[in-house]
Amino acid sequence: MKQTFPHTPGPIGVFDSGYGGLTILDEIRRVLPQYDYLYLGDNARTPYGTRSFEVVYDFTRQAVVKLFEMGCHLVILACNTASAKALRSIQQKDLPLLDPARRVLGIIRPTAECIGGVTTSRHVGVLATVGTINSQSYPLEIHKLFPDIVVSGVPCPMWVPLVESNEATGEGADYFVRKYIDQLLATDEQIDTAILGCTHYPLLLPKIRRYMPPAIRLVAQGEYVANSLLDYLRRHPEMETHCTRGGSCTFYTTEAEEKFTESASLFLHQPIKVQHISLE
Ligand code: DGL
């Protein structure tokens, strides 16, 4: 059923299953500080990484509709799992019915686009959630652009819980960081580039660097996503004029506000104010 959303220009919506999208938002705001942003974290239902296609699609669709209702014309799914499992259905099935002029963009395609210029051996590894690896989204997107690249993926189910429980720099994290890196190296010894295909993983970078051979280049997504958005807005002036320019950022969470504020400080090193919102 066709819904009516506000027509006036509004903020750019940034959605994640929880806190991880804050690492993407941070880079986007660094490259495009002039726009207004509305960040929505579905912390009450995180993690998405272990959930089925149907559930991730359903949750993500609810969030996109909410962001449209709140005035966003453009929404970034700053979550690999949501980009892998929900983006295509939302773009193809829902947008034509909801409002064909609004746009939802993911973060896997911009990462795939950069890979061809980074790898020399043409062997690339992907470290991501179980959901993202099982979806095969990285090999599919990379092969559309660079069919010659060999892509190997390893799921890292313990990395998000380590970050969320503030153990990313603790001694206990070493075991699981090393375990998944060793699995990746054992899969293909010609890998020269490793994609950190989950928004939480930049917080594990010091440990990942410790166990990843120095010859392997690490690709964190934030910078690529931000530059891709810059390029998108340049190529789509009709969308750019629908994005307000006040330099503000408003945060919403489906969990308790105090909990979000406390944990968000691990991801953004500045105090923020957050408001509770319900998606159901
Ligand atoms: N933000 C998610 C991603 O990038 C990870 C967290 C989750 O599993 O919900 O895949």
Side-chain angles (χ1 to χ4, degrees):
M1 208 219 310
K2 198 160 166 62
Q3 280 174 261
T4 313
F5 304 112
H7 289 292
T8 47
I12 297 174
V14 178
F15 170 69
D16 181 41
S17 58
Y19 305 107
L22 294 171
T23 62
I24 305 286
L25 176 71
D26 215 20
E27 285 291 332
I28 291 178
R29 291 191 76 199
R30 202 176 51 77
V31 174
L32 296 163
Q34 65 272 39
Y35 296 106
D36 293 308
Y37 297 92
L38 202 159
Y39 183 88
L40 170 54
D42 191 8
N43 302 82
R45 303 189 291 194
T46 203
Y48 280 15
T50 45
R51 292 187 188 272
S52 68
F53 266 87
E54 292 71 23
V55 170
V56 172
Y57 164 59
D58 205 30
F59 288 179
T60 307
R61 188 187 177 284
Q62 289 171 5
V64 166
V65 169
K66 181 64 79 179
L67 287 164
F68 287 170
E69 285 170 359
M70 293 166 97
C72 301
H73 290 251
L74 175 63
V75 171
I76 313 297
L77 300 185
C79 173
N80 288 274
T81 311
S83 300
K85 293 187 163 186
L87 178 64
R88 185 162 306 206
S89 301
I90 289 174
Q91 286 175 333
Q92 293 177 354
K93 237 172 56 189
D94 297 308
L95 279 185
L97 298 172
L98 289 167
D99 183 344
R102 292 184 200 240
R103 287 288 171 270
V104 180
L105 306 175
I107 58 173
I108 294 181
R109 176 82 183 193
T111 313
E113 280 170 0
C114 79
I115 280 302
V118 181
T119 173
T120 321
S121 71
R122 313 309 272 174
H123 289 251
V124 167
V126 182
L127 298 160
T129 63
V130 178
T132 301
I133 296 296
N134 286 349
S135 74
Q136 296 290 323
S137 293
Y138 271 99
L140 287 169
E141 287 298 333
I142 292 172
H143 287 150
K144 276 186 207 159
L145 303 163
F146 312 106
D148 61 313
I149 294 180
V150 178
V151 185
S152 307
V154 166
C156 312
M158 287 304 291
W159 284 9
V160 167
L162 281 169
V163 171
E164 297 237 334
S165 37
N166 200 10
E167 289 293 341
T169 53
E171 275 174 35
D174 289 65
Y175 172 81
F176 284 107
V177 170
R178 191 174 186 166
K179 176 177 173 168
Y180 303 139
I181 289 176
D182 286 349
Q183 282 175 9
L184 184 68
L185 299 176
T187 310
D188 179 355
E189 55 188 33
Q190 292 185 66
I191 287 170
D192 72 349
T193 305
I195 298 173
L196 305 184
C198 172
T199 51
H200 283 61
Y201 298 175
L203 275 87
L204 285 164
L205 258 175
K207 299 251 188 231
I208 295 172
R209 284 213 177 92
R210 183 181 302 169
Y211 295 110
M212 192 70 85
I216 297 185
R217 256 164 291 183
L218 294 172
V219 169
Q221 302 174 285
E223 193 188 327
Y224 296 111
V225 171
N227 286 320
S228 165
L229 180 59
L230 169 72
D231 181 53
Y232 177 86
L233 291 170
R234 279 194 185 138
R235 287 185 291 110
H236 295 275
E238 76 292 352
M239 178 55 77
E240 202 278 338
T241 54
H242 279 94
C243 302
T244 50
R245 291 166 163 255
S248 74
C249 190
T250 318
F251 296 87
Y252 290 89
T253 177
T254 54
E255 245 293 352
E257 292 165 4
E258 310 73 51
K259 193 166 182 294
F260 186 90
T261 314
E262 196 186 306
S263 298
S265 62
L266 299 172
F267 293 81
L268 287 179
H269 303 285
Q270 67 191 68
I272 57 161
K273 267 206 186 136
V274 63
Q275 294 164 57
H276 176 266
I277 201 166
S278 179
L279 291 181
E280 287 162 291

PDB file of all heavy atoms in Angstrom, residues 47-59:
ATOM      1  N   PRO A  47      21.960  -8.917  17.686  1.00  0.00           N
ATOM      2  CA  PRO A  47      22.617  -8.825  16.387  1.00  0.00           C
ATOM      3  C   PRO A  47      21.745  -9.346  15.250  1.00  0.00           C
ATOM      4  O   PRO A  47      20.883 -10.192  15.457  1.00  0.00           O
ATOM      5  CB  PRO A  47      23.837  -9.723  16.580  1.00  0.00           C
ATOM      6  CG  PRO A  47      23.391 -10.773  17.540  1.00  0.00           C
ATOM      7  CD  PRO A  47      22.408 -10.094  18.449  1.00  0.00           C
ATOM      8  N   TYR A  48      21.998  -8.807  14.057  1.00  0.00           N
ATOM      9  CA  TYR A  48      21.330  -9.295  12.855  1.00  0.00           C
ATOM     10  C   TYR A  48      22.144 -10.435  12.214  1.00  0.00           C
ATOM     11  O   TYR A  48      21.620 -11.203  11.428  1.00  0.00           O
ATOM     12  CB  TYR A  48      21.211  -8.167  11.818  1.00  0.00           C
ATOM     13  CG  TYR A  48      20.088  -7.176  12.028  1.00  0.00           C
ATOM     14  CD1 TYR A  48      19.403  -7.087  13.235  1.00  0.00           C
ATOM     15  CD2 TYR A  48      19.713  -6.332  10.991  1.00  0.00           C
ATOM     16  CE1 TYR A  48      18.378  -6.159  13.404  1.00  0.00           C
ATOM     17  CE2 TYR A  48      18.692  -5.413  11.140  1.00  0.00           C
ATOM     18  CZ  TYR A  48      18.023  -5.327  12.350  1.00  0.00           C
ATOM     19  OH  TYR A  48      17.015  -4.407  12.490  1.00  0.00           O
ATOM     20  N   GLY A  49      23.440 -10.473  12.549  1.00  0.00           N
ATOM     21  CA  GLY A  49      24.382 -11.363  11.861  1.00  0.00           C
ATOM     22  C   GLY A  49      24.025 -12.836  11.884  1.00  0.00           C
ATOM     23  O   GLY A  49      24.448 -13.600  11.015  1.00  0.00           O
ATOM     24  N   THR A  50      23.248 -13.261  12.871  1.00  0.00           N
ATOM     25  CA  THR A  50      22.905 -14.678  12.976  1.00  0.00           C
ATOM     26  C   THR A  50      21.440 -14.922  12.600  1.00  0.00           C
ATOM     27  O   THR A  50      20.942 -16.041  12.724  1.00  0.00           O
ATOM     28  CB  THR A  50      23.130 -15.148  14.427  1.00  0.00           C
ATOM     29  OG1 THR A  50      22.583 -14.161  15.310  1.00  0.00           O
ATOM     30  CG2 THR A  50      24.607 -15.321  14.747  1.00  0.00           C
ATOM     31  N   ARG A  51      20.741 -13.899  12.145  1.00  0.00           N
ATOM     32  CA  ARG A  51      19.311 -14.053  11.851  1.00  0.00           C
ATOM     33  C   ARG A  51      19.064 -14.450  10.395  1.00  0.00           C
ATOM     34  O   ARG A  51      19.916 -14.253   9.538  1.00  0.00           O
ATOM     35  CB  ARG A  51      18.574 -12.743  12.146  1.00  0.00           C
ATOM     36  CG  ARG A  51      18.517 -12.389  13.625  1.00  0.00           C
ATOM     37  CD  ARG A  51      17.627 -11.186  13.808  1.00  0.00           C
ATOM     38  NE  ARG A  51      17.653 -10.660  15.154  1.00  0.00           N
ATOM     39  CZ  ARG A  51      16.854 -11.075  16.138  1.00  0.00           C
ATOM     40  NH1 ARG A  51      15.992 -12.045  15.936  1.00  0.00           N
ATOM     41  NH2 ARG A  51      16.915 -10.508  17.330  1.00  0.00           N
ATOM     42  N   SER A  52      17.846 -14.960  10.145  1.00  0.00           N
ATOM     43  CA  SER A  52      17.489 -15.435   8.795  1.00  0.00           C
ATOM     44  C   SER A  52      17.266 -14.257   7.844  1.00  0.00           C
ATOM     45  O   SER A  52      17.075 -13.113   8.281  1.00  0.00           O
ATOM     46  CB  SER A  52      16.201 -16.243   8.868  1.00  0.00           C
ATOM     47  OG  SER A  52      15.129 -15.375   9.208  1.00  0.00           O
ATOM     48  N   PHE A  53      17.243 -14.557   6.552  1.00  0.00           N
ATOM     49  CA  PHE A  53      16.958 -13.562   5.518  1.00  0.00           C
ATOM     50  C   PHE A  53      15.641 -12.855   5.810  1.00  0.00           C
ATOM     51  O   PHE A  53      15.551 -11.630   5.774  1.00  0.00           O
ATOM     52  CB  PHE A  53      16.840 -14.248   4.146  1.00  0.00           C
ATOM     53  CG  PHE A  53      18.133 -14.245   3.391  1.00  0.00           C
ATOM     54  CD1 PHE A  53      19.055 -15.255   3.581  1.00  0.00           C
ATOM     55  CD2 PHE A  53      18.434 -13.221   2.500  1.00  0.00           C
ATOM     56  CE1 PHE A  53      20.260 -15.244   2.904  1.00  0.00           C
ATOM     57  CE2 PHE A  53      19.638 -13.215   1.815  1.00  0.00           C
ATOM     58  CZ  PHE A  53      20.542 -14.227   2.011  1.00  0.00           C
ATOM     59  N   GLU A  54      14.606 -13.649   6.096  1.00  0.00           N
ATOM     60  CA  GLU A  54      13.248 -13.098   6.259  1.00  0.00           C
ATOM     61  C   GLU A  54      13.223 -12.081   7.398  1.00  0.00           C
ATOM     62  O   GLU A  54      12.654 -11.002   7.283  1.00  0.00           O
ATOM     63  CB  GLU A  54      12.236 -14.219   6.564  1.00  0.00           C
ATOM     64  CG  GLU A  54      11.990 -15.191   5.426  1.00  0.00           C
ATOM     65  CD  GLU A  54      13.170 -16.134   5.148  1.00  0.00           C
ATOM     66  OE1 GLU A  54      14.002 -16.353   6.056  1.00  0.00           O
ATOM     67  OE2 GLU A  54      13.262 -16.626   4.011  1.00  0.00           O
ATOM     68  N   VAL A  55      13.873 -12.456   8.518  1.00  0.00           N
ATOM     69  CA  VAL A  55      13.833 -11.587   9.697  1.00  0.00           C
ATOM     70  C   VAL A  55      14.638 -10.304   9.443  1.00  0.00           C
ATOM     71  O   VAL A  55      14.172  -9.198   9.733  1.00  0.00           O
ATOM     72  CB  VAL A  55      14.350 -12.352  10.946  1.00  0.00           C
ATOM     73  CG1 VAL A  55      14.544 -11.416  12.113  1.00  0.00           C
ATOM     74  CG2 VAL A  55      13.371 -13.461  11.309  1.00  0.00           C
ATOM     75  N   VAL A  56      15.838 -10.446   8.865  1.00  0.00           N
ATOM     76  CA  VAL A  56      16.668  -9.251   8.606  1.00  0.00           C
ATOM     77  C   VAL A  56      15.944  -8.325   7.618  1.00  0.00           C
ATOM     78  O   VAL A  56      15.912  -7.100   7.796  1.00  0.00           O
ATOM     79  CB  VAL A  56      18.072  -9.637   8.084  1.00  0.00           C
ATOM     80  CG1 VAL A  56      18.853  -8.395   7.642  1.00  0.00           C
ATOM     81  CG2 VAL A  56      18.848 -10.390   9.154  1.00  0.00           C
ATOM     82  N   TYR A  57      15.324  -8.902   6.612  1.00  0.00           N
ATOM     83  CA  TYR A  57      14.579  -8.100   5.632  1.00  0.00           C
ATOM     84  C   TYR A  57      13.435  -7.350   6.323  1.00  0.00           C
ATOM     85  O   TYR A  57      13.250  -6.145   6.144  1.00  0.00           O
ATOM     86  CB  TYR A  57      14.069  -8.998   4.506  1.00  0.00           C
ATOM     87  CG  TYR A  57      12.992  -8.359   3.664  1.00  0.00           C
ATOM     88  CD1 TYR A  57      13.227  -7.160   2.985  1.00  0.00           C
ATOM     89  CD2 TYR A  57      11.723  -8.932   3.573  1.00  0.00           C
ATOM     90  CE1 TYR A  57      12.225  -6.561   2.236  1.00  0.00           C
ATOM     91  CE2 TYR A  57      10.727  -8.335   2.830  1.00  0.00           C
ATOM     92  CZ  TYR A  57      10.984  -7.152   2.164  1.00  0.00           C
ATOM     93  OH  TYR A  57       9.992  -6.548   1.436  1.00  0.00           O
ATOM     94  N   ASP A  58      12.678  -8.083   7.124  1.00  0.00           N
ATOM     95  CA  ASP A  58      11.532  -7.507   7.809  1.00  0.00           C
ATOM     96  C   ASP A  58      11.952  -6.337   8.727  1.00  0.00           C
ATOM     97  O   ASP A  58      11.380  -5.251   8.675  1.00  0.00           O
ATOM     98  CB  ASP A  58      10.898  -8.632   8.642  1.00  0.00           C
ATOM     99  CG  ASP A  58       9.446  -8.378   8.894  1.00  0.00           C
ATOM    100  OD1 ASP A  58       8.816  -7.730   8.038  1.00  0.00           O
ATOM    101  OD2 ASP A  58       8.953  -8.801   9.960  1.00  0.00           O
ATOM    102  N   PHE A  59      12.986  -6.575   9.547  1.00  0.00           N
ATOM    103  CA  PHE A  59      13.462  -5.544  10.479  1.00  0.00           C
ATOM    104  C   PHE A  59      13.999  -4.326   9.713  1.00  0.00           C
ATOM    105  O   PHE A  59      13.745  -3.175  10.075  1.00  0.00           O
ATOM    106  CB  PHE A  59      14.586  -6.090  11.377  1.00  0.00           C
ATOM    107  CG  PHE A  59      14.139  -7.079  12.427  1.00  0.00           C
ATOM    108  CD1 PHE A  59      15.074  -7.655  13.296  1.00  0.00           C
ATOM    109  CD2 PHE A  59      12.809  -7.436  12.579  1.00  0.00           C
ATOM    110  CE1 PHE A  59      14.684  -8.560  14.277  1.00  0.00           C
ATOM    111  CE2 PHE A  59      12.409  -8.346  13.560  1.00  0.00           C
ATOM    112  CZ  PHE A  59      13.362  -8.904  14.406  1.00  0.00           C
TER     113      PHE A  59
END
